[in-house]
Amino acid sequence: MQQEHDKTTIRGNEKLDPHLWVSKYADYLYSYAILRIEDVDLARDLVQETFLAALERSAKFEGRSSEKTWLTSILKNKIIDVYRQKSSAFAKDTDIIKAEQEQNDFFDHENGHWNHEHRPKEFGIEQADALENKEFQQILRACMKKLPKLWLAVFTMKHMDDESTAYICSELRVSSSNFWVIIHRAKVNLRSCLQKNWLQN
Amino acid sequence: MKNFEKEELKKISYNCRKATFLIEKKQIARITLQEEAELKIHVAGCSICATFMKQSILLNKMIHNLFNRNHAELKLDTKFKKKLQQQIEDHVNDD
């Protein structure tokens, strides 16, 4: 009984208004999903599922976070489910094997030095300009899309969402040492793809 | 012993695979003092990894910005939105 009472006193003032969800949040949620999974159809499905799940559990909304934050957290959990489905931590996926093979040539097997053709070269664009350059961003996204699913998941949860390493490891079921290997490999791969496609232009 | 240390140092200062690993780790977590020293020596002598480091930091910034800057540009089509709206209305009216 005491607990019930406490719950009502900490209930916030935020309210849900499902009639406005589509106009207020559909594009936002869609963008949130697509940058993290790079799949148009799946992103649409997830937005739909998020609204439906939110309606189902609207009674549980306690009004302590904004409607937008609450909907985003539902979507976020759905995205993590997708990551898990797409990347089994037990069997090595073919996309990972392929990416690893590609990267085998990057460094010399003996001394770990960059092999000539894979050496990082200057992008020829100032940092501030790169941050604003639409074409550069588009190539970056195309390169992210090519990463193995598990790598993209680890990478975006860390660099886009600033999630803690422990949280990412437990949600995606990767060991801490594997986490660092993925973080390293994903970046080396992404940078290389960007160099290849940006300098070609 | 001295020779051994020199050899080790040489190995470290030439190992770009390890240096790039430390560059990535350092941007997220603490690396040990020893690793810090190894990395410093390496990057001071390896312009390629210095370039990698600069670009890696840039990429992290870009990825961080990607969502916040771009989200206004990505839109669902109107037809799909209408369908979503209808679904929500149906659901709310059922309750």
Side-chain angles (χ1 to χ4, degrees), chain A residues 44 48 121 127 162 184, chain B residues 20 55-56 61 64 77 87:
Chain A
R44 286 160 62 105
Q48 185 174 19
K121 294 183 197 128
Q127 177 155 329
D162 287 323
H184 177 227
Chain B
T20 52
Q55 294 175 340
S56 174
K61 264 195 198 141
H64 205 261
D77 58 279
Q87 273 181 339

Side-chain angles (χ1 to χ4, degrees), chain A residues 99-109 115 185, chain B residues 17:
Chain A
E100 282 179 350
Q101 273 168 354
E102 246 176 57
Q103 219 172 88
N104 268 340
D105 304 332
F106 284 21
F107 300 100
D108 187 285
H109 289 281
N115 279 327
R185 292 204 140 140
Chain B
R17 188 199 301 271

Side-chain angles (χ1 to χ4, degrees), chain A residues 8-196:
Chain A
T8 43
T9 52
I10 53 169
R11 223 179 151 92
N13 298 321
E14 297 287 337
K15 292 199 168 57
L16 298 180
D17 191 351
H19 297 286
L20 297 176
W21 284 356
V22 174
S23 61
K24 279 167 98 171
Y25 313 117
D27 288 334
Y28 171 84
L29 294 171
Y30 175 65
S31 312
Y32 187 97
I34 205 156
L35 283 168
R36 285 161 181 80
I37 51 176
E38 294 292 355
D39 181 329
V40 175
D41 294 329
L42 193 53
R44 286 160 62 105
D45 288 349
L46 289 182
V47 173
Q48 185 174 19
E49 285 175 28
T50 297
F51 286 146
L52 295 178
L55 289 168
E56 298 288 344
R57 57 185 105 138
S58 58
K60 289 187 196 140
F61 180 72
E62 292 186 346
R64 277 177 287 156
S65 59
S66 73
E67 203 177 35
K68 185 177 179 181
T69 307
W70 185 68
L71 289 168
T72 309
S73 72
I74 294 174
L75 174 63
K76 193 170 135 188
N77 284 323
K78 293 198 173 291
I79 291 172
I80 289 173
D81 284 343
V82 170
Y83 286 158
R84 278 206 205 113
Q85 284 160 18
K86 287 202 168 186
S87 55
S88 137
F90 302 104
K92 261 203 176 173
D93 299 339
T94 48
D95 61 347
I96 296 181
I97 294 169
K98 215 179 121 212
E100 282 179 350
Q101 273 168 354
E102 246 176 57
Q103 219 172 88
N104 268 340
D105 304 332
F106 284 21
F107 300 100
D108 187 285
H109 289 281
E110 290 283 304
N111 58 25
H113 202 38
W114 289 101
N115 279 327
H116 189 74
E117 65 269 39
H118 294 288
R119 286 184 185 171
K121 294 183 197 128
E122 293 287 342
F123 288 150
I125 180 169
E126 290 298 320
Q127 177 155 329
D129 296 336
L131 285 168
E132 298 299 328
N133 190 300
K134 288 271 169 291
E135 206 186 333
F136 200 84
Q137 286 171 15
Q138 246 150 32
I139 296 174
L140 173 64
R141 282 191 55 205
C143 287
M144 284 169 74
K145 202 172 173 174
K146 282 191 206 157
L147 289 176
K149 294 287 175 285
L150 179 64
W151 293 11
L152 180 65
V154 170
F155 196 75
T156 50
M157 281 177 84
K158 181 43 94 181
H159 292 303
M160 211 181 270
D161 299 330
D162 287 323
E163 300 288 5
S164 78
T165 301
Y167 176 76
I168 298 170
C169 288
S170 81
E171 287 297 307
L172 299 178
R173 292 166 197 150
V174 294
S175 67
S176 152
S177 66
N178 199 20
F179 170 85
W180 292 113
V181 170
I182 291 171
I183 283 287
H184 177 227
R185 292 204 140 140
K187 180 63 75 58
V188 168
N189 198 307
L190 197 60
R191 199 217 59 80
S192 161
C193 172
L194 201 64
Q195 172 168 312
K196 213 160 99 191

Side-chain angles (χ1 to χ4, degrees), chain B residues 32-90:
Chain B
T32 65
L33 286 175
Q34 157 124 18
E35 289 172 329
E36 191 83 55
E38 287 175 13
L39 182 59
K40 217 172 163 182
I41 293 166
H42 183 95
V43 174
C46 177
S47 63
I48 305 170
C49 283
T51 300
F52 177 94
M53 186 156 84
K54 202 172 67 186
Q55 294 175 340
S56 174
I57 293 167
L58 168 71
L59 289 182
N60 280 359
K61 264 195 198 141
M62 285 188 75
I63 288 154
H64 205 261
N65 284 348
L66 209 51
F67 178 63
N68 293 318
R69 299 270 183 97
N70 276 11
H71 79 260
E73 292 161 32
L74 300 166
K75 294 206 187 317
L76 273 170
D77 58 279
T78 324
K79 205 176 142 197
F80 189 69
K81 279 189 195 164
K82 270 191 184 148
K83 188 179 140 196
L84 289 178
Q85 186 71 39
Q86 194 54 51
Q87 273 181 339
I88 291 173
E89 303 293 343
D90 291 348

